[in-house]
Amino acid sequence: MKKITNLLMLLAVALLTACDNEIETVPSLKVTPYNLEGTWRLDEWNADTLAENTYVYLVLDSKLTFEMYQNTNSMYTELITGTYKVEEDWRVGDVISGTYDYENGAWNHEYIVTDLYKESMVWTAKDDSTDIQKFVRVDEVPAHIVDEARKPLE
């Protein structure tokens, strides 16, 4: 009887140990306007964090419009708006591209969207694989940034 008890205990330990070694992977989300909808902050650009006090917030909605709050080209917050689209390119995968409002033209690049999860995503410029941007989902654009962007210049 003692041998059977020891064997059962050994078997239980082996099963628990085997379960610990399994790595659970979460599949990435399908790139759709619905899954992209929300507020995103640029967290890394080409594997580097942004300079202190520099930011880019991107608000995407499922109606294919966007708002971008950024200060990468200025000491003041800029609010940039426009439309975007998502298309599947059989050669590279899901691609996002956009056009700025007020006849300001198209985005500089089309971006291949990969690793889309509930909390993050990666964009790689379709024509420049060294241009890689990692976004993280945030609840909202900070109020002081929104206020600064919407304040008329004096």
Side-chain angles (χ1 to χ4, degrees), residues 86-111:
V86 177
E87 297 178 308
E88 187 174 339
D89 181 328
W90 64 271
R91 294 166 295 194
V92 296
D94 297 306
V95 176
I96 189 169
S97 59
T99 305
Y100 299 111
D101 284 340
Y102 311 111
E103 299 181 20
N104 286 322
W107 293 356
N108 290 340
H109 302 281
E110 294 180 325
Y111 295 93

PDB file of all heavy atoms in Angstrom, residues 86-111:
ATOM      1  N   VAL A  86      -7.532  50.296 -43.128  1.00  0.00           N
ATOM      2  CA  VAL A  86      -6.799  49.061 -42.885  1.00  0.00           C
ATOM      3  C   VAL A  86      -7.073  48.132 -44.055  1.00  0.00           C
ATOM      4  O   VAL A  86      -8.224  47.929 -44.430  1.00  0.00           O
ATOM      5  CB  VAL A  86      -7.246  48.389 -41.571  1.00  0.00           C
ATOM      6  CG1 VAL A  86      -6.534  47.062 -41.370  1.00  0.00           C
ATOM      7  CG2 VAL A  86      -7.020  49.306 -40.381  1.00  0.00           C
ATOM      8  N   GLU A  87      -6.008  47.604 -44.625  1.00  0.00           N
ATOM      9  CA  GLU A  87      -6.146  46.673 -45.746  1.00  0.00           C
ATOM     10  C   GLU A  87      -5.216  45.496 -45.531  1.00  0.00           C
ATOM     11  O   GLU A  87      -4.149  45.644 -44.943  1.00  0.00           O
ATOM     12  CB  GLU A  87      -5.784  47.358 -47.065  1.00  0.00           C
ATOM     13  CG  GLU A  87      -6.689  48.523 -47.422  1.00  0.00           C
ATOM     14  CD  GLU A  87      -6.266  49.212 -48.704  1.00  0.00           C
ATOM     15  OE1 GLU A  87      -5.085  49.576 -48.821  1.00  0.00           O
ATOM     16  OE2 GLU A  87      -7.135  49.383 -49.566  1.00  0.00           O
ATOM     17  N   GLU A  88      -5.631  44.356 -46.026  1.00  0.00           N
ATOM     18  CA  GLU A  88      -4.768  43.182 -45.966  1.00  0.00           C
ATOM     19  C   GLU A  88      -3.958  43.111 -47.251  1.00  0.00           C
ATOM     20  O   GLU A  88      -4.512  43.148 -48.341  1.00  0.00           O
ATOM     21  CB  GLU A  88      -5.595  41.909 -45.784  1.00  0.00           C
ATOM     22  CG  GLU A  88      -4.729  40.698 -45.544  1.00  0.00           C
ATOM     23  CD  GLU A  88      -5.539  39.456 -45.219  1.00  0.00           C
ATOM     24  OE1 GLU A  88      -6.698  39.587 -44.803  1.00  0.00           O
ATOM     25  OE2 GLU A  88      -4.992  38.355 -45.406  1.00  0.00           O
ATOM     26  N   ASP A  89      -2.642  43.068 -47.101  1.00  0.00           N
ATOM     27  CA  ASP A  89      -1.732  42.915 -48.236  1.00  0.00           C
ATOM     28  C   ASP A  89      -1.197  41.488 -48.165  1.00  0.00           C
ATOM     29  O   ASP A  89      -0.498  41.140 -47.209  1.00  0.00           O
ATOM     30  CB  ASP A  89      -0.592  43.939 -48.123  1.00  0.00           C
ATOM     31  CG  ASP A  89       0.387  43.882 -49.270  1.00  0.00           C
ATOM     32  OD1 ASP A  89       0.621  42.784 -49.826  1.00  0.00           O
ATOM     33  OD2 ASP A  89       0.962  44.930 -49.605  1.00  0.00           O
ATOM     34  N   TRP A  90      -1.517  40.672 -49.124  1.00  0.00           N
ATOM     35  CA  TRP A  90      -1.147  39.261 -49.083  1.00  0.00           C
ATOM     36  C   TRP A  90       0.352  39.045 -48.982  1.00  0.00           C
ATOM     37  O   TRP A  90       0.815  38.007 -48.543  1.00  0.00           O
ATOM     38  CB  TRP A  90      -1.728  38.511 -50.277  1.00  0.00           C
ATOM     39  CG  TRP A  90      -1.188  38.963 -51.610  1.00  0.00           C
ATOM     40  CD1 TRP A  90      -1.678  39.952 -52.396  1.00  0.00           C
ATOM     41  CD2 TRP A  90      -0.061  38.425 -52.290  1.00  0.00           C
ATOM     42  NE1 TRP A  90      -0.923  40.093 -53.531  1.00  0.00           N
ATOM     43  CE2 TRP A  90       0.088  39.155 -53.497  1.00  0.00           C
ATOM     44  CE3 TRP A  90       0.853  37.414 -52.030  1.00  0.00           C
ATOM     45  CZ2 TRP A  90       1.106  38.892 -54.416  1.00  0.00           C
ATOM     46  CZ3 TRP A  90       1.858  37.155 -52.941  1.00  0.00           C
ATOM     47  CH2 TRP A  90       1.973  37.891 -54.118  1.00  0.00           C
ATOM     48  N   ARG A  91       1.148  40.065 -49.346  1.00  0.00           N
ATOM     49  CA  ARG A  91       2.609  39.908 -49.288  1.00  0.00           C
ATOM     50  C   ARG A  91       3.171  40.172 -47.901  1.00  0.00           C
ATOM     51  O   ARG A  91       4.136  39.541 -47.499  1.00  0.00           O
ATOM     52  CB  ARG A  91       3.276  40.856 -50.288  1.00  0.00           C
ATOM     53  CG  ARG A  91       2.970  40.512 -51.743  1.00  0.00           C
ATOM     54  CD  ARG A  91       3.349  41.636 -52.633  1.00  0.00           C
ATOM     55  NE  ARG A  91       2.476  42.769 -52.277  1.00  0.00           N
ATOM     56  CZ  ARG A  91       2.318  43.846 -52.995  1.00  0.00           C
ATOM     57  NH1 ARG A  91       2.991  44.005 -54.087  1.00  0.00           N
ATOM     58  NH2 ARG A  91       1.495  44.804 -52.613  1.00  0.00           N
ATOM     59  N   VAL A  92       2.581  41.125 -47.175  1.00  0.00           N
ATOM     60  CA  VAL A  92       3.189  41.538 -45.898  1.00  0.00           C
ATOM     61  C   VAL A  92       2.244  41.450 -44.700  1.00  0.00           C
ATOM     62  O   VAL A  92       2.690  41.519 -43.559  1.00  0.00           O
ATOM     63  CB  VAL A  92       3.757  42.977 -45.985  1.00  0.00           C
ATOM     64  CG1 VAL A  92       4.891  43.045 -46.977  1.00  0.00           C
ATOM     65  CG2 VAL A  92       2.665  43.980 -46.320  1.00  0.00           C
ATOM     66  N   GLY A  93       0.951  41.348 -44.936  1.00  0.00           N
ATOM     67  CA  GLY A  93       0.001  41.283 -43.826  1.00  0.00           C
ATOM     68  C   GLY A  93      -0.896  42.505 -43.791  1.00  0.00           C
ATOM     69  O   GLY A  93      -1.141  43.150 -44.807  1.00  0.00           O
ATOM     70  N   ASP A  94      -1.350  42.852 -42.600  1.00  0.00           N
ATOM     71  CA  ASP A  94      -2.292  43.957 -42.432  1.00  0.00           C
ATOM     72  C   ASP A  94      -1.564  45.296 -42.440  1.00  0.00           C
ATOM     73  O   ASP A  94      -0.575  45.487 -41.728  1.00  0.00           O
ATOM     74  CB  ASP A  94      -3.060  43.789 -41.122  1.00  0.00           C
ATOM     75  CG  ASP A  94      -3.906  42.528 -41.143  1.00  0.00           C
ATOM     76  OD1 ASP A  94      -4.699  42.389 -42.097  1.00  0.00           O
ATOM     77  OD2 ASP A  94      -3.774  41.695 -40.230  1.00  0.00           O
ATOM     78  N   VAL A  95      -2.079  46.222 -43.237  1.00  0.00           N
ATOM     79  CA  VAL A  95      -1.431  47.518 -43.434  1.00  0.00           C
ATOM     80  C   VAL A  95      -2.413  48.630 -43.071  1.00  0.00           C
ATOM     81  O   VAL A  95      -3.578  48.604 -43.478  1.00  0.00           O
ATOM     82  CB  VAL A  95      -0.968  47.681 -44.898  1.00  0.00           C
ATOM     83  CG1 VAL A  95      -0.387  49.064 -45.146  1.00  0.00           C
ATOM     84  CG2 VAL A  95       0.051  46.602 -45.249  1.00  0.00           C
ATOM     85  N   ILE A  96      -1.918  49.611 -42.303  1.00  0.00           N
ATOM     86  CA  ILE A  96      -2.702  50.794 -41.975  1.00  0.00           C
ATOM     87  C   ILE A  96      -2.077  51.984 -42.701  1.00  0.00           C
ATOM     88  O   ILE A  96      -0.846  52.099 -42.785  1.00  0.00           O
ATOM     89  CB  ILE A  96      -2.771  51.030 -40.453  1.00  0.00           C
ATOM     90  CG1 ILE A  96      -3.777  52.144 -40.116  1.00  0.00           C
ATOM     91  CG2 ILE A  96      -1.404  51.292 -39.853  1.00  0.00           C
ATOM     92  CD1 ILE A  96      -4.102  52.244 -38.627  1.00  0.00           C
ATOM     93  N   SER A  97      -2.925  52.824 -43.252  1.00  0.00           N
ATOM     94  CA  SER A  97      -2.458  54.042 -43.916  1.00  0.00           C
ATOM     95  C   SER A  97      -3.462  55.137 -43.612  1.00  0.00           C
ATOM     96  O   SER A  97      -4.583  54.862 -43.168  1.00  0.00           O
ATOM     97  CB  SER A  97      -2.330  53.826 -45.427  1.00  0.00           C
ATOM     98  OG  SER A  97      -3.575  53.449 -45.988  1.00  0.00           O
ATOM     99  N   GLY A  98      -3.059  56.365 -43.846  1.00  0.00           N
ATOM    100  CA  GLY A  98      -3.965  57.447 -43.506  1.00  0.00           C
ATOM    101  C   GLY A  98      -3.748  58.692 -44.321  1.00  0.00           C
ATOM    102  O   GLY A  98      -2.745  58.847 -45.030  1.00  0.00           O
ATOM    103  N   THR A  99      -4.714  59.590 -44.201  1.00  0.00           N
ATOM    104  CA  THR A  99      -4.682  60.882 -44.862  1.00  0.00           C
ATOM    105  C   THR A  99      -5.018  61.942 -43.836  1.00  0.00           C
ATOM    106  O   THR A  99      -5.960  61.785 -43.049  1.00  0.00           O
ATOM    107  CB  THR A  99      -5.718  60.925 -46.008  1.00  0.00           C
ATOM    108  OG1 THR A  99      -5.468  59.835 -46.896  1.00  0.00           O
ATOM    109  CG2 THR A  99      -5.636  62.224 -46.773  1.00  0.00           C
ATOM    110  N   TYR A 100      -4.245  63.014 -43.838  1.00  0.00           N
ATOM    111  CA  TYR A 100      -4.482  64.123 -42.914  1.00  0.00           C
ATOM    112  C   TYR A 100      -5.625  64.997 -43.428  1.00  0.00           C
ATOM    113  O   TYR A 100      -5.819  65.131 -44.634  1.00  0.00           O
ATOM    114  CB  TYR A 100      -3.222  64.974 -42.768  1.00  0.00           C
ATOM    115  CG  TYR A 100      -2.042  64.208 -42.223  1.00  0.00           C
ATOM    116  CD1 TYR A 100      -0.945  63.919 -43.025  1.00  0.00           C
ATOM    117  CD2 TYR A 100      -2.020  63.770 -40.901  1.00  0.00           C
ATOM    118  CE1 TYR A 100       0.139  63.221 -42.530  1.00  0.00           C
ATOM    119  CE2 TYR A 100      -0.928  63.069 -40.399  1.00  0.00           C
ATOM    120  CZ  TYR A 100       0.141  62.797 -41.217  1.00  0.00           C
ATOM    121  OH  TYR A 100       1.216  62.098 -40.722  1.00  0.00           O
ATOM    122  N   ASP A 101      -6.349  65.599 -42.514  1.00  0.00           N
ATOM    123  CA  ASP A 101      -7.395  66.550 -42.879  1.00  0.00           C
ATOM    124  C   ASP A 101      -6.782  67.817 -43.470  1.00  0.00           C
ATOM    125  O   ASP A 101      -5.575  68.046 -43.386  1.00  0.00           O
ATOM    126  CB  ASP A 101      -8.233  66.923 -41.648  1.00  0.00           C
ATOM    127  CG  ASP A 101      -9.208  65.816 -41.245  1.00  0.00           C
ATOM    128  OD1 ASP A 101      -9.514  64.947 -42.085  1.00  0.00           O
ATOM    129  OD2 ASP A 101      -9.653  65.832 -40.086  1.00  0.00           O
ATOM    130  N   TYR A 102      -7.631  68.651 -44.035  1.00  0.00           N
ATOM    131  CA  TYR A 102      -7.268  69.969 -44.562  1.00  0.00           C
ATOM    132  C   TYR A 102      -6.274  69.880 -45.711  1.00  0.00           C
ATOM    133  O   TYR A 102      -5.391  70.712 -45.863  1.00  0.00           O
ATOM    134  CB  TYR A 102      -6.739  70.885 -43.441  1.00  0.00           C
ATOM    135  CG  TYR A 102      -7.637  70.888 -42.243  1.00  0.00           C
ATOM    136  CD1 TYR A 102      -7.230  70.298 -41.048  1.00  0.00           C
ATOM    137  CD2 TYR A 102      -8.909  71.432 -42.306  1.00  0.00           C
ATOM    138  CE1 TYR A 102      -8.073  70.267 -39.941  1.00  0.00           C
ATOM    139  CE2 TYR A 102      -9.757  71.407 -41.211  1.00  0.00           C
ATOM    140  CZ  TYR A 102      -9.329  70.825 -40.038  1.00  0.00           C
ATOM    141  OH  TYR A 102     -10.166  70.784 -38.950  1.00  0.00           O
ATOM    142  N   GLU A 103      -6.434  68.826 -46.517  1.00  0.00           N
ATOM    143  CA  GLU A 103      -5.611  68.635 -47.711  1.00  0.00           C
ATOM    144  C   GLU A 103      -4.119  68.639 -47.416  1.00  0.00           C
ATOM    145  O   GLU A 103      -3.305  69.130 -48.192  1.00  0.00           O
ATOM    146  CB  GLU A 103      -5.968  69.690 -48.766  1.00  0.00           C
ATOM    147  CG  GLU A 103      -7.420  69.592 -49.195  1.00  0.00           C
ATOM    148  CD  GLU A 103      -7.787  70.609 -50.258  1.00  0.00           C
ATOM    149  OE1 GLU A 103      -6.899  71.140 -50.943  1.00  0.00           O
ATOM    150  OE2 GLU A 103      -9.002  70.853 -50.404  1.00  0.00           O
ATOM    151  N   ASN A 104      -3.751  68.066 -46.270  1.00  0.00           N
ATOM    152  CA  ASN A 104      -2.340  67.984 -45.894  1.00  0.00           C
ATOM    153  C   ASN A 104      -1.677  66.696 -46.364  1.00  0.00           C
ATOM    154  O   ASN A 104      -0.551  66.411 -45.986  1.00  0.00           O
ATOM    155  CB  ASN A 104      -2.182  68.140 -44.380  1.00  0.00           C
ATOM    156  CG  ASN A 104      -2.386  69.581 -43.958  1.00  0.00           C
ATOM    157  OD1 ASN A 104      -1.967  70.498 -44.650  1.00  0.00           O
ATOM    158  ND2 ASN A 104      -3.046  69.783 -42.831  1.00  0.00           N
ATOM    159  N   GLY A 105      -2.360  65.917 -47.171  1.00  0.00           N
ATOM    160  CA  GLY A 105      -1.741  64.757 -47.798  1.00  0.00           C
ATOM    161  C   GLY A 105      -1.809  63.483 -46.974  1.00  0.00           C
ATOM    162  O   GLY A 105      -2.452  63.404 -45.932  1.00  0.00           O
ATOM    163  N   ALA A 106      -1.087  62.493 -47.489  1.00  0.00           N
ATOM    164  CA  ALA A 106      -1.075  61.161 -46.878  1.00  0.00           C
ATOM    165  C   ALA A 106       0.024  61.066 -45.825  1.00  0.00           C
ATOM    166  O   ALA A 106       0.967  61.870 -45.810  1.00  0.00           O
ATOM    167  CB  ALA A 106      -0.846  60.110 -47.958  1.00  0.00           C
ATOM    168  N   TRP A 107      -0.106  60.074 -44.965  1.00  0.00           N
ATOM    169  CA  TRP A 107       0.957  59.787 -44.003  1.00  0.00           C
ATOM    170  C   TRP A 107       2.256  59.535 -44.770  1.00  0.00           C
ATOM    171  O   TRP A 107       2.237  59.116 -45.924  1.00  0.00           O
ATOM    172  CB  TRP A 107       0.629  58.549 -43.194  1.00  0.00           C
ATOM    173  CG  TRP A 107      -0.537  58.671 -42.259  1.00  0.00           C
ATOM    174  CD1 TRP A 107      -1.284  59.785 -41.991  1.00  0.00           C
ATOM    175  CD2 TRP A 107      -1.085  57.625 -41.468  1.00  0.00           C
ATOM    176  NE1 TRP A 107      -2.268  59.494 -41.071  1.00  0.00           N
ATOM    177  CE2 TRP A 107      -2.169  58.164 -40.729  1.00  0.00           C
ATOM    178  CE3 TRP A 107      -0.786  56.285 -41.294  1.00  0.00           C
ATOM    179  CZ2 TRP A 107      -2.933  57.412 -39.846  1.00  0.00           C
ATOM    180  CZ3 TRP A 107      -1.549  55.538 -40.421  1.00  0.00           C
ATOM    181  CH2 TRP A 107      -2.598  56.102 -39.698  1.00  0.00           C
ATOM    182  N   ASN A 108       3.372  59.762 -44.123  1.00  0.00           N
ATOM    183  CA  ASN A 108       4.674  59.532 -44.758  1.00  0.00           C
ATOM    184  C   ASN A 108       4.867  58.071 -45.149  1.00  0.00           C
ATOM    185  O   ASN A 108       5.583  57.773 -46.099  1.00  0.00           O
ATOM    186  CB  ASN A 108       5.815  59.951 -43.836  1.00  0.00           C
ATOM    187  CG  ASN A 108       5.898  61.446 -43.676  1.00  0.00           C
ATOM    188  OD1 ASN A 108       5.377  62.199 -44.497  1.00  0.00           O
ATOM    189  ND2 ASN A 108       6.536  61.884 -42.613  1.00  0.00           N
ATOM    190  N   HIS A 109       4.274  57.164 -44.387  1.00  0.00           N
ATOM    191  CA  HIS A 109       4.437  55.728 -44.641  1.00  0.00           C
ATOM    192  C   HIS A 109       3.100  55.023 -44.511  1.00  0.00           C
ATOM    193  O   HIS A 109       2.182  55.508 -43.864  1.00  0.00           O
ATOM    194  CB  HIS A 109       5.381  55.079 -43.610  1.00  0.00           C
ATOM    195  CG  HIS A 109       6.733  55.677 -43.551  1.00  0.00           C
ATOM    196  ND1 HIS A 109       7.721  55.410 -44.459  1.00  0.00           N
ATOM    197  CD2 HIS A 109       7.285  56.548 -42.657  1.00  0.00           C
ATOM    198  CE1 HIS A 109       8.810  56.074 -44.147  1.00  0.00           C
ATOM    199  NE2 HIS A 109       8.568  56.775 -43.053  1.00  0.00           N
ATOM    200  N   GLU A 110       3.024  53.855 -45.116  1.00  0.00           N
ATOM    201  CA  GLU A 110       2.020  52.866 -44.779  1.00  0.00           C
ATOM    202  C   GLU A 110       2.705  51.960 -43.772  1.00  0.00           C
ATOM    203  O   GLU A 110       3.917  51.728 -43.862  1.00  0.00           O
ATOM    204  CB  GLU A 110       1.614  52.060 -46.012  1.00  0.00           C
ATOM    205  CG  GLU A 110       0.917  52.869 -47.066  1.00  0.00           C
ATOM    206  CD  GLU A 110       0.546  52.012 -48.273  1.00  0.00           C
ATOM    207  OE1 GLU A 110       1.318  51.081 -48.614  1.00  0.00           O
ATOM    208  OE2 GLU A 110      -0.507  52.267 -48.864  1.00  0.00           O
ATOM    209  N   TYR A 111       1.947  51.435 -42.801  1.00  0.00           N
ATOM    210  CA  TYR A 111       2.566  50.649 -41.735  1.00  0.00           C
ATOM    211  C   TYR A 111       1.970  49.245 -41.678  1.00  0.00           C
ATOM    212  O   TYR A 111       0.749  49.077 -41.731  1.00  0.00           O
ATOM    213  CB  TYR A 111       2.355  51.327 -40.378  1.00  0.00           C
ATOM    214  CG  TYR A 111       3.050  52.653 -40.282  1.00  0.00           C
ATOM    215  CD1 TYR A 111       2.396  53.832 -40.606  1.00  0.00           C
ATOM    216  CD2 TYR A 111       4.380  52.728 -39.874  1.00  0.00           C
ATOM    217  CE1 TYR A 111       3.036  55.050 -40.519  1.00  0.00           C
ATOM    218  CE2 TYR A 111       5.027  53.948 -39.788  1.00  0.00           C
ATOM    219  CZ  TYR A 111       4.345  55.105 -40.116  1.00  0.00           C
ATOM    220  OH  TYR A 111       4.989  56.315 -40.042  1.00  0.00           O
TER     221      TYR A 111
END
